[in-house]
Structures are given as structure tokens and as C-alpha cells.
Amino acid sequence: MNTPPTSPTAQLAAFAADLRFDAIPASVIAKTEDLLVDWFGSAVAGKGARPVETITSFAASMGPTDGPAEVLIHRSRSSAYFAAMANAAASHVAEQDDVHNGSVFHPATVVFPAALAMAQTLGSSGQQLLTAAVAGYEVGIRVGEFLGRSHYKVFHTTGTAGTLAAAAAAGSLLGLNAAQMQHAFGSAGTQSAGLWEFLRTAADSKQLHTAHAAAAGLMSAWLARDGFTGAAHILEGPQGMAAGMSSDADPAKLSDGLGTRWATAETSFKYHASCRHTHPAADALLQVMQVNDLKPADLARVVTHVHQGAIDVLGPVVNPATVHQSKFSMGTVLGLVARFGHAGLVEFDKHFQEDLTVALRDKVAMELDAEVDAAYPRRWIGKVTVTTTDGRTLQGRVDEPKGDPGNTLSRDEITAKAQRLAAFSGGASEAEMARAIDALWTIAKSNKVGPLLPGAA
């Protein structure tokens, strides 16, 4: 008779190792397919971005040129390790990848690169790929929730929890048993990293966070398969992740509803091409402007009522110097939304430093709001107070920003978004994207996961 795992780390590892496709509700599988197509668009959108190209060039220099795994933006082949690294870097630069509110974690950008690279290497089926992705999402989300708000104040959760998420996905495809998965978590956790300091100087680290998490998680799973051991209590141990990275960790969240609560289905899509902390306020401002038929010239002042996490992440970005940094500027995002009705890739690329955008940016302020802060991170409420040039004071409120599960994107919207992302970067033609997206919508029927894009000529 097997003894049930007792520690939170062991329980989470056993769940990831034992998860099977038939145990996952059909609605969760469908949501995972949605998330996969959404991720693919973001990954292709990374083509041409300097930080992404630098990491991809490194991967090409270090790895084989005829490996089994696909490097999407270069239409090349490499080992699973370096393909995961390159694709994860590419996934996180357009700021259009998904997010789970409660964990403040971007699962797709670390889970799918590791899962796709491993599936292509092993010749796994589409059902195995989707199962691995769910394992990665469920693990990473729970680790992010476990580490808590204090962790996110300093650490980029996608880099830290993401390393374990990638290990879970890769470990699922490798067929790790519960003990091996726990070792993989130990190795992943000891390598988890990612600090927010890069935002202050517009450094490139955010792409390194995801690249490292996906590759290190994959390596951790592979090592565990071959007998390499990791810390048994890497999450809750006295010198584990919580001890070093959190002051409010809650171990109960690691095993919360395993197999009954599907956190994967709680994941949100991103509509605006910016940090998710800006989205609630952006949608609330858009609501005020549409209801009251306001133009940018009508705005005298905009106060965004936000949670502390938004202030922690966005507060240091006062005068954004790059397109990517501008996506972490509340004022810039709201300035673009006021001008164009949304803040997309083209708007950031062409207009973030224009005089009108800067003038609008300087009219925006963030203030801590007790209601919004108490609801966060489970709910991301958007509240704004707009003062108009003719002296009116107008209030806006959005309880579910566009992309949240209660205000989600349709499959047509997800497809259109992926096509826009590819067109912006030139990463793939409309026809190539259409073929790849069609294949991804039906990936569960595939006996073997193959390349998504045709190889370079």
C-alpha cells in the first residue's frame, strides 16, 4: 500500500506526476487550447526584438543546429533546452502573454516553451502536450499563490514560480514518477530567480527571466529522470524558497483543490500590450471616455485607484526610455488608450514618446485604494477618477478587465490577436499562421507534435 504524500511539495509533485488527460475536464482542455494559441502569437511576436534576438543568438551558438526542437522566430532547430530558452524569451516581450490574477504569474511564457520543446523531442502526442501544460499551469499558479504578495514586491514570480511550472510540464512529458517529480522541483526551486530592479533602468532582464525559467525547469526534469536529486522540501523547508523569498507564504495554497479546482481555467488573456497592472485602469478610463463622449483634450487629470502591487511595479517607471519600459508606465498606457481606444503594439511602437502621449501621461497619477488592494490579487478591479477641462469629476469602474474569465476572449478574438502579433513582428505570414493555428486548435487529435512553422529556406 502506497503512503500518501504528506508535505505540500510532495503533494504537488505527486499531482503533476500522476495527472492524465482523461482526468482533466473537457472545459479545461478547451481553455488550455485557447491558451496555447494565444501563447503562439506572443512567441512569434518576439521576432526582431533585440533582447530576444540576443538570447536566441546565444542559444544558436551553444546548441546544435539540427536538433529535434523548433526555435520559432528563426525557423531553426535546436536541442530541447535551447529551444525552450529561445521561445520563452520570445514569448514575453510583446506583453501580450496570459496572466493568472491570484498568483500574479504569466504561465504560458514558461510552460509552453518547455512543453513544446520536450514534446517535439520525445515525439509526444497532442494529448500528452496538453496534459503537461495543465500540470505546469496548476503547479506554477499554486507556487505563485503560496509565495504571496510579499514575494512579488521584489521577485518576478514568472521567473521564480515559473521554473517549477516548466519542470512540471517537462516532467509530465518525461513520465516522471512522484518521487522524481519532487526531485525536479527541488532542482528547479534552487535555480529560481528574477528581480524587479531591471525596470528602473529599462534593462533586458525580463526576457532572461522567462528564458532561464523554461530552460532550467526543463533541465531539472531531465536530471531527475536520470537520478539527480533535489531538495525534498524546496518550497516550505526552513531554507527553502519561502524562507528566502517571502514573508507571507501559505503552504496550504500548494495543495488547494488539487484535481478539483482547475486554476488553469482561471487564467486571463491580455488585451492591451502592456503590463497587466495597467489594464484595469485602462479599461475604466475607456469606459468613462465612451460613456461621456470625451476626447483626449477633455482630460485635465486622471487618478487611478490601484492596489499596492501596481505601485510597486509601475511606480519606478517615471520617464520611460524604451518601448518595453513604456509598457510599465501607467500614464503612458492610459495616454495611448485615451488617444486610440486601446494600447496595442503599433501604438506603443510609434506613439509612446509623442508630445500628446507624454502630455497625457503627466496628467495620470496612481493612488492606493483600500477596496482595490483588499481584492487583489484574486480580483483586479479598475477604478479611475477623471477631472475634465470643464470642471466635471467623473468616476469609472471595471470589475473584470477584458480578458478575465468573466470577460474573456472568444476563439475568433484569440485567432485575430495571434495574427496581429505575427504581422507586427513579421514572424510569420497570415497563411502560415492560419495553418499553425488550425493545427493548434485540433492538437488533441495529433499523434505526434511536429513543427508549427515551415523551416527557413
Side-chain angles (χ1 to χ4, degrees):
M1 181 176 178
N2 293 329
T3 302
T6 55
S7 78
T9 301
Q11 290 178 54
L12 195 60
F15 169 80
D18 295 341
L19 185 64
R20 297 294 180 267
F21 183 84
D22 292 343
I24 304 170
S27 61
V28 178
I29 292 296
K31 179 62 178 269
T32 307
E33 293 167 349
D34 293 349
L35 296 167
L36 175 57
V37 173
D38 188 68
W39 163 77
F40 179 63
S42 283
V44 175
K47 183 176 179 61
R50 182 188 49 76
V52 174
E53 294 290 351
T54 302
I55 291 173
T56 304
S57 177
F58 166 78
S61 298
M62 296 293 112
T65 57
D66 59 350
E70 184 179 16
V71 177
L72 292 169
I73 66 168
H74 281 185
R75 311 292 184 91
S76 57
R77 314 288 291 187
S78 189
S79 65
Y81 180 84
F82 285 112
M85 178 186 294
N87 291 336
S91 307
H92 205 42
V93 72
E95 291 296 331
Q96 292 267 257
D97 49 314
D98 62 25
V99 62
H100 181 269
N101 289 346
S103 55
V104 202
F105 166 52
H106 301 279
T109 194
V110 290
V111 169
F112 285 121
L116 178 65
M118 190 62 77
Q120 290 177 335
T121 298
L122 300 174
S124 306
S125 70
Q127 291 190 0
Q128 289 173 315
L129 171 64
L130 292 171
T131 302
V134 174
Y137 270 69
E138 297 296 321
V139 167
I141 288 168
R142 284 175 170 79
V143 172
E145 291 176 333
F146 155 73
L147 290 170
R149 292 181 62 167
S150 65
H151 177 79
Y152 188 77
K153 190 175 182 70
V154 176
F155 291 94
H156 183 199
T157 306
T158 303
T160 54
T163 314
L164 283 97
S172 173
L173 287 161
L174 284 166
L176 301 188
N177 62 34
Q180 291 171 320
M181 188 70 81
Q182 191 169 354
H183 287 306
F185 286 4
S187 293
T190 204
Q191 298 180 83
S192 65
L195 297 164
W196 282 117
E197 183 62 24
F198 75 90
L199 276 174
R200 297 179 186 275
T201 55
D204 297 332
S205 307
K206 201 161 190 272
Q207 280 64 64
L208 183 60
H209 294 176
T210 55
H212 171 76
L218 186 151
M219 179 178 71
S220 298
W222 195 282
L223 292 174
R225 185 198 64 169
D226 289 344
F228 195 89
T229 62
H233 305 291
I234 193 64
L235 294 167
E236 76 281 9
Q239 292 178 296
M241 289 178 68
M245 297 177 164
S246 176
S247 61
D248 63 344
D250 182 359
K253 291 184 176 180
L254 292 170
S255 55
D256 171 38
L258 283 173
T260 56
R261 171 215 172 193
W262 295 95
T264 305
E266 303 166 1
T267 306
S268 300
F269 301 101
K270 291 176 76 173
Y271 181 65
H272 305 292
S274 59
C275 175
R276 182 65 173 178
H277 290 298
T278 66
H279 291 209
D283 286 359
L285 174 62
L286 190 60
Q287 177 197 81
V288 170
M289 295 186 70
Q290 290 173 341
V291 169
N292 296 279
D293 195 26
L294 299 181
K295 303 295 186 288
D298 298 322
L299 304 178
R301 178 172 168 79
V302 179
V303 176
T304 65
H305 306 280
V306 299
H307 52 264
Q308 184 63 46
I311 295 172
D312 293 340
V313 172
L314 307 177
V317 184
V318 178
N319 184 20
T322 67
V323 171
H324 192 256
Q325 192 185 33
S326 74
K327 297 180 179 189
F328 291 81
S329 162
M330 180 69 87
T332 301
V333 175
L334 266 61
L336 294 174
V337 165
R339 292 183 65 187
F340 303 106
H342 66 284
L345 294 175
V346 172
E347 287 71 31
F348 278 104
D349 193 51
K350 294 185 176 180
H351 305 292
F352 89 94
Q353 282 185 319
E354 287 182 346
D355 290 345
L356 179 53
T357 305
V358 172
L360 290 166
R361 181 193 77 197
D362 293 342
K363 295 178 181 180
V364 176
M366 290 188 291
E367 291 184 1
L368 182 64
D369 182 278
E371 180 196 14
V372 175
D373 193 57
Y376 173 82
R378 186 176 59 86
R379 296 171 59 215
W380 295 36
I381 299 171
K383 291 169 64 176
V384 298
T385 300
V386 176
T387 304
T388 64
T389 52
D390 61 6
R392 288 176 291 164
T393 299
L394 306 171
Q395 306 291 335
R397 180 187 180 109
V398 171
D399 285 286
E400 288 191 281
K402 188 169 178 62
D404 269 9
N407 188 16
T408 193
L409 303 184
S410 68
R411 287 201 162 182
D412 285 346
E413 288 177 313
I414 293 168
T415 296
K417 175 185 169 184
Q419 285 282 15
R420 286 196 305 272
L421 287 166
F424 178 82
S425 69
S429 70
E430 184 176 352
E432 289 173 335
M433 288 296 290
R435 285 192 293 271
I437 290 169
D438 285 346
L440 292 174
W441 285 136
T442 58
I443 193 73
K445 299 177 181 178
S446 174
N447 292 324
K448 181 178 179 181
V449 177
L452 299 176
L453 293 172

